Each structure stands twice: as C-alpha cells, then as structure tokens.
Amino acid sequence: MTSKALENGRRSKRHIFHKAKVNRSHAGNAVVFTCILILGAFMALPFVYALGSAFKPLNELFLYPPRLLPQNPTLDNFIGLWTLMKSSWVPMSRYIFNTLLITAAGSAGQIILASMCAFPLAKHPFPGNKFIFRVIFLSLMFHASATAIPTYIIMAKLHMLDTYWALILPACASSFGLYLMKQFIEQINNAVLEAAEIDGANIWQTYIRIVMPMVKPAWLTLMVFSVQSLWNIGSSTYIYSEELKTFSYAVSQVVAGGVARTGTGMAISVIMMVVPITVYLITQSSVMQTMASSGVKE
Amino acid sequence: MNTNIKLHSLQKRRLRDGITGFLFTLPFVVGFILFIFSPVVMYLAMSFSKLSLNDAGAMVFENVKWDNYINVLFEQPDFLKRLASSLGDFALRCPAILFFSLFIAIILNQRFHGRALVRAVFFLPVLVYSGAALMFSNDALSNDYFKLLSSDSDETVNLAQYVISVLGGTEDSPILDIVSTLMDKIYDITCSSGVQILIYLAGLQSISPQLYEASSVEGCTGWESFWKITLPMISPMILVNAVYTVIDVLGNPTNTIINTLYSLAMDSGNYGLSAAMGLIYFLIIFIILGAVFFVINRFVFYEENI
C-alpha cells in the first residue's frame, strides 16, 4: 500500500517535472530559432545578393547603396556569358568535362581509399597499425600550399605533370578524410562486426555490407567536402595544356576581364555555386535515414 | 588433437586477417608516401639548403646548414610579431568556433519545417567563400566576403553598414562601429564553422535512436539525455573538429604566416628561407595539435570502453 502510494507520488512528481520541462523548452526553442533565423538570414544574404546581381541590368549593378534584388530582372548577364564562352578557343564543354571527371574520380578515390585504410586501422589491428596512423595524423599539420614545390618536383619525376592524374591522385590521399573515417568507424559497436564474422563474412564483405552502410553519414560528409574543393580547382601549377584545364579556371579568365564583366562574373558565381549546393542537398537528405535500423540487441 | 587443429586454423585466420587488413591500408599508404610524406621530407631538406637555378635551368641545392633557421629567428623581426598575433587570434577563435558549431549543429539536428534549407544556409559560407568568391580574388585575403561578392565596385560595403543603410540609419554613428565590429566577429565565426557543423551533424546522425528511446522510457529529460547520451556519443567528433579547426585556422591561406611563406617562396624565390620558416611554424602547429589531442582525447568516449 505505502509503496504504491510512493510510486504514485513519484510518478506524479515526474509528470509535473516533465510538463514544466516541455513548456520551458518551448519558450527556449522560440528564442533559439529566432537567433538561428537571424544568423541564417545573414549567412544567406551574400548568396541572395549574388543571385540577385546575376539578374541585374548593367545600370543597377553599381548602385550605391547596393540593392539586394533587381528591379528590372534580365537574363543579359547569362546571355553575355554564353556568347563569351562560345568564342573561347577550347570549347567550353571540354573544360566542363575536365572538371566533372576530376571531381568524380577524385571524390570517389578519396572516399574509397580513406575508408578502406580506416577500417583496419580502427577495427583490425595488425603490427604497425598504430605507427601508420600516427604518421598520417602528424602530416595533418603540413599545409599543401607550403609543400607545393616539392610536390611539383615529385610529380615531374612520376611523369604526372600535365595529366589528369596530377589533380586526381593527390586528392585521393587526404589525411583528414582518413582521420574522419577512422573516428566514425571506431564508433561502430564491436558486437556487430563479431556477429558478421561469426556468420562467416570475411573482411571485404564486412567492409562492404556492414561498415560502409553504417558510416554513411561520414562518407557522404566527406563527399561534400571533396566535391566542394575539387569542383573549385582553378589554375593549377601542375597543368599547362589548355585542353586539360578546368571549368573554374576558364570562368576565372572571363571574370579577369575587369569591371565590365561584373555582371557576367555574378552569373558565373551563381553557376559555380549550383553544383556543390545540389550535391550538398542530395547527400543531406539521404543522410537522414541511415542509422534508424542498425544496432544490436543484447 | 581436435582442439589443436581448431587453434591452428584460428591462428591461420588471424594471420590472414592481419594481411588483408594491411592490404586494405596499402593503397592509401602508397598515395600518402608519394604525395604527402615525400614532399614533406624534401621540404625538410630544402630548409637546410639554398636553392638556385643553374645555367641549364635545373635546380641546385647548396647545403647551408642552420643558416635559414638563424635568419628566420634573428633577422626577421616581423616573423615573431606575426606569429604572436596569429596565435593570439587562434586562441580566441578556436574555442569560439567549436562551441558555436556544436550549438548550431544540435539545433539543426532537431526536426522542424525547412530543416534542409536552414542546414544548407549554414553551409553556404563554405561553398561561397572558398569557391566562387575567390575568383574575384584580388582581395581574397579580406574576410569580408560581402565585399568580395560586390567585387569590382570601389566602395567597401560592410554588411552592418549595408543593413543599417537599408534600415535608414546614418553611416558614421559610434554605435555603428561597435555593432559592426561585433557583427564582424560573429559573422567571421559563423563563416568558419560550416565544416565543423557538418561533421557534428554527421556525428549526431550516427547516434542510435534506440539510446534516446531507452532513456525516455526510463524518464530521462532532454537536458539529462544531452549530457548522458549526446555529449559522450559526439565526443569523438569534438576531437575531429578540434583538430580540423586547428589546421584550418592556422593553415588557412588567409593566415598571415602562410601568406608570408607563400610570398617568400613564390615572389622572392627564397625557397630555403620559406621552408625554414614553414617548418618552425609547423612545429608550433604540431605542439598545439598534440596538446589539443592529448587534452580532449581524455574526455572522448569510445564505444569499446564500456
């Protein structure tokens, strides 16, 4: 009897607490979301400005104070860009193909190599695996632009200068990508891997069927990073034939035309941003339903 | 006899797994040795030598021992000053970015309408800043990318000034100064948090919903489940983000030291000096990275430790 009363008391107390909590968090949520909204508006402002400017006629581009949105929207900037591109020496489609190839191959290579290396480092120790990881981790501190000259010399020795490989292969060996993947794979419950092993899966099968699906948020995130950086590769010291240069390089040449190209430049910046943003939106929507059904019952 | 055979096959399996594991790491390790490790070794060699071109146009290394290092430390008064300011800036920004991005990521991880859009908005600075904006890069070193996007116009339009001018305020009130510096700082931190937010979000997505279910069945409040579930489960990502923030803030192309390194090598052709300066700087980054790793790793919760 007494224990029942006590139980009831506890329950009602908990109930009250629960209710109070919910109410408070509602008020808190409102404040927090207002903050987010304001911050988000500031984040979006430059993008909206670029988007708006891409559709501005020439006389509105240099107004001061600048206007966010065009009053008389026009497609002149895009049409101008189209004419400029048609007159280029190497067809624009070639630049686009180059960029697409480098982005796709580089991102795929980075994800596959990093996750393949991270899996045994995190879950299948072999002699020397700690040493390998430490050396890779230490290399994080060296900035790529600082070691550009030695890299150039090595590429020359490997006969990779002026080929696609010069841009694709270095992208595949990303220390940070490896570190990110290792940290995520380490989070996987060992029981899941043991279960797979007991069911007769070898390392390769475990990697494809268990590990990769479970760390999908990680490699999708890595994909966003690598697509983002590879898509924007502009002029590179390793490439000098015009036919192998990237889209980003080609459009930066257009912008370099000066003040008169401001409108065209805006149109370009919008086009350049569209691809990474699309990749980002697609990956983020598929990150959502990853973890829902995985786990162990003990 | 029977157990003996079993033991034997187990050992065999261990060995095979070890070899397969090693083979898995091989492609990355080869790439790493070629494109990261050997350039660094050559960089080290460069720092001890004076590089010049001979008549045939080939590079000649001349060993000068510690000369470059002595030069950097004692004959470049700007270097130490710049180093101090860059590290001071780092000490303020790094923790701010880490806390801010965790805060935003936790909010963005909740369910609400238009979540995908808001998430995209917070990643925009990364896309815009490092990509298209740099094409107008006469001025890429400036943080104010609003200015970058309005590219060629001579007026440097500050975001705060812009907003206030839209709202109909005057341009040179003292309040404007305070508001504009404050906003600049917040803006700067938000802009540098894009990658971190994304990594935290991926981490939050990887937490099994069963944990939250179980805790809510047990009567856990949101506050408790944050401290007992979210934080421990996300702690490895805090470490990743700390590491990323260190290398991003200190190794960013807009960093003054990185700038000096680059211009020394590319514009003045003083490769040896640049390499020596770089190595001193990277050694400092290494110490910071080591300290950050050591401190945070003690608080990181790994699943296998249960």
Side-chain angles (χ1 to χ4, degrees):
Chain A
M1 180 69 199
T2 43
S3 76
K4 213 170 194 179
L6 207 68
E7 180 83 357
N8 272 340
R10 242 186 232 153
R11 197 171 286 162
S12 63
K13 210 171 172 186
R14 187 177 290 161
H15 188 70
I16 290 165
F17 268 128
H18 225 94
K19 211 168 182 184
K21 211 79 192 177
V22 168
N23 279 339
R24 197 202 297 167
S25 82
H26 266 301
N29 275 351
V31 174
V32 163
F33 280 110
T34 321
C35 289
I36 290 281
L37 226 61
I38 294 169
L39 269 175
F42 277 117
M43 295 293 101
L45 200 56
F47 181 69
V48 174
Y49 181 78
L51 199 65
S53 299
F55 293 98
K56 279 180 191 167
L58 194 60
N59 61 345
E60 281 183 44
L61 276 169
F62 298 104
L63 277 183
Y64 187 84
R67 275 175 214 281
L68 206 55
L69 297 172
Q71 283 169 311
N72 307 305
T74 154
L75 282 174
D76 280 358
N77 295 327
F78 290 92
I79 295 165
L81 178 62
W82 181 248
T83 359
L84 272 172
M85 281 176 163
K86 268 203 298 197
S87 63
S88 77
W89 171 47
V90 173
M92 206 36 94
S93 55
R94 182 65 200 255
Y95 291 119
I96 296 175
F97 169 78
N98 292 344
T99 294
L100 285 178
L101 178 76
I102 290 165
T103 307
S107 307
Q110 181 172 356
I111 291 167
I112 294 168
L113 260 61
S115 58
M116 269 180 77
C117 182
F119 175 40
L121 288 187
K123 292 293 184 186
H124 276 275
F126 55 88
N129 76 331
K130 282 229 167 87
F131 174 75
I132 292 181
F133 177 68
R134 276 187 198 138
V135 173
I136 292 171
F137 183 77
L138 284 185
S139 77
L140 277 174
M141 65 183 167
F142 289 97
H143 193 256
S145 81
T147 53
I149 296 157
T151 310
Y152 184 89
I153 296 172
I154 284 166
M155 294 226 179
K157 280 190 180 146
L158 293 172
H159 300 287
M160 286 195 344
L161 285 178
D162 210 24
T163 62
Y164 289 126
W165 299 116
L167 296 177
I168 295 173
L169 290 182
C172 295
S174 147
S175 301
F176 185 72
L178 173 89
Y179 181 50
L180 186 75
M181 290 308 297
K182 180 177 177 270
Q183 211 64 344
F184 270 93
I185 291 174
E186 226 150 45
Q187 290 278 84
I188 294 177
N189 198 324
N190 282 338
V192 178
L193 300 179
E194 275 158 27
E197 205 171 312
I198 289 166
D199 285 348
N202 58 31
I203 295 193
W204 180 250
Q205 285 164 327
T206 319
Y207 165 72
I208 296 272
R209 302 261 183 88
I210 314 278
V211 174
M212 286 309 267
M214 281 185 87
V215 294
K216 199 172 166 197
W219 57 261
L220 283 177
T221 305
L222 193 57
M223 187 162 105
V224 172
F225 296 157
S226 63
V227 165
Q228 206 279 118
S229 64
L230 287 165
W231 175 256
N232 288 309
I233 285 186
S235 61
S236 162
T237 29
Y238 312 131
I239 302 273
Y240 29 81
S241 324
E242 196 64 30
E243 310 89 74
L244 295 181
K245 286 191 171 163
T246 58
F247 183 58
S248 174
Y249 163 80
V251 292
S252 72
Q253 292 309 101
V254 174
V255 179
V259 187
R261 299 263 172 88
T262 305
T264 326
M266 288 299 177
I268 286 170
S269 72
V270 169
I271 291 173
M272 286 297 292
M273 280 186 272
V274 163
V275 169
I277 289 177
T278 315
V279 170
Y280 174 76
L281 288 177
I282 293 171
T283 54
Q284 283 299 296
S285 63
S286 53
V287 160
M288 305 283 146
Q289 334 85 352
T290 321
M291 205 56 199
S293 56
S294 55
V296 250
K297 291 207 167 77
E298 281 166 17
Chain B
M1 182 66 194
N2 206 355
T3 50
N4 213 349
I5 292 172
K6 253 186 192 162
L7 205 72
H8 190 66
S9 78
L10 193 72
Q11 268 175 344
K12 230 177 173 177
R13 185 174 179 142
R14 283 267 160 76
L15 184 70
R16 209 182 53 212
D17 278 4
I19 293 170
T20 328
F22 179 70
L23 288 178
F24 262 59
T25 57
L26 207 57
F28 186 91
V29 169
V30 170
F32 174 81
I33 289 172
L34 282 179
F35 300 111
I36 300 173
F37 187 72
S38 28
V40 166
V41 171
M42 278 175 88
Y43 195 62
L44 191 70
M46 257 165 66
S47 74
F48 289 105
S49 50
K50 194 170 164 25
L51 223 68
S52 52
L53 295 181
N54 66 9
D55 296 335
M59 281 200 236
V60 181
F61 287 82
E62 183 194 332
N63 191 345
V64 292
K65 292 187 181 144
W66 293 92
D67 278 9
N68 288 323
Y69 289 91
I70 292 165
N71 190 335
V72 169
L73 289 178
F74 300 108
E75 288 163 42
Q76 304 272 336
D78 276 1
F79 174 68
L80 293 177
K81 228 184 280 169
R82 280 184 187 148
L83 187 65
S85 83
S86 143
L87 291 181
D89 177 52
F90 163 77
L92 284 177
R93 279 178 70 188
C94 183
I97 290 173
L98 278 178
F99 281 113
F100 179 79
S101 53
L102 180 60
F103 178 69
I104 298 284
I106 286 171
I107 293 167
L108 294 186
N109 195 42
Q110 287 164 15
R111 292 185 178 279
F112 56 88
H113 289 290
R115 171 167 73 163
L117 188 76
V118 179
R119 280 187 180 186
V121 163
F122 276 90
F123 195 61
L124 271 181
V126 179
L127 300 174
V128 180
Y129 189 53
S130 65
L134 281 180
M135 296 199 319
F136 306 98
S137 58
N138 314 333
D139 228 338
L141 309 179
S142 144
N143 265 330
D144 185 356
Y145 81 92
F146 190 75
K147 190 174 78 193
L148 285 176
L149 279 174
S150 62
S151 70
D152 291 324
S153 57
D154 289 323
E155 282 84 15
T156 53
V157 185
N158 183 296
L159 196 63
Q161 282 169 356
Y162 175 69
V163 170
I164 286 170
S165 73
V166 166
L167 296 176
T170 49
E171 293 220 351
D172 29 40
S173 58
I175 306 166
L176 180 70
D177 267 357
I178 300 169
V179 173
S180 112
T181 33
L182 194 70
M183 251 166 64
D184 236 28
K185 290 265 182 269
I186 297 176
Y187 198 62
D188 178 49
I189 288 183
T190 321
C191 285
S192 347
S193 303
V195 170
Q196 286 87 339
I197 292 174
L198 212 57
I199 292 175
Y200 276 138
L201 275 175
L204 290 169
Q205 294 295 328
S206 307
I207 301 175
S208 168
Q210 288 161 342
L211 290 175
Y212 290 109
E213 256 164 53
S215 75
S216 80
V217 167
E218 302 277 340
C220 207
T221 60
W223 179 250
E224 282 163 348
S225 73
F226 170 76
W227 287 102
K228 304 278 184 195
I229 299 174
T230 311
L231 209 58
M233 294 302 279
I234 199 87
S235 57
M237 297 311 126
I238 296 179
L239 183 60
V240 173
N241 271 336
V243 168
Y244 181 82
T245 311
V246 170
I247 56 175
D248 187 48
V249 172
L250 292 176
N252 199 294
T254 58
N255 185 294
T256 47
I257 303 279
I258 297 285
N259 248 317
T260 319
L261 289 180
Y262 197 76
S263 67
L264 259 181
M266 297 304 178
D267 304 338
S268 333
N270 210 336
Y271 301 109
L273 191 64
S274 166
M277 192 182 276
L279 278 166
I280 294 176
Y281 186 56
F282 293 135
L283 187 71
I284 292 168
I285 298 185
F286 166 63
I287 293 168
I288 294 173
L289 211 55
V292 165
F293 191 87
F294 182 74
V295 171
I296 298 183
N297 201 24
R298 297 177 63 172
F299 298 102
V300 170
F301 167 88
Y302 289 106
E303 184 106 25
E304 62 212 55
N305 296 346
I306 309 176

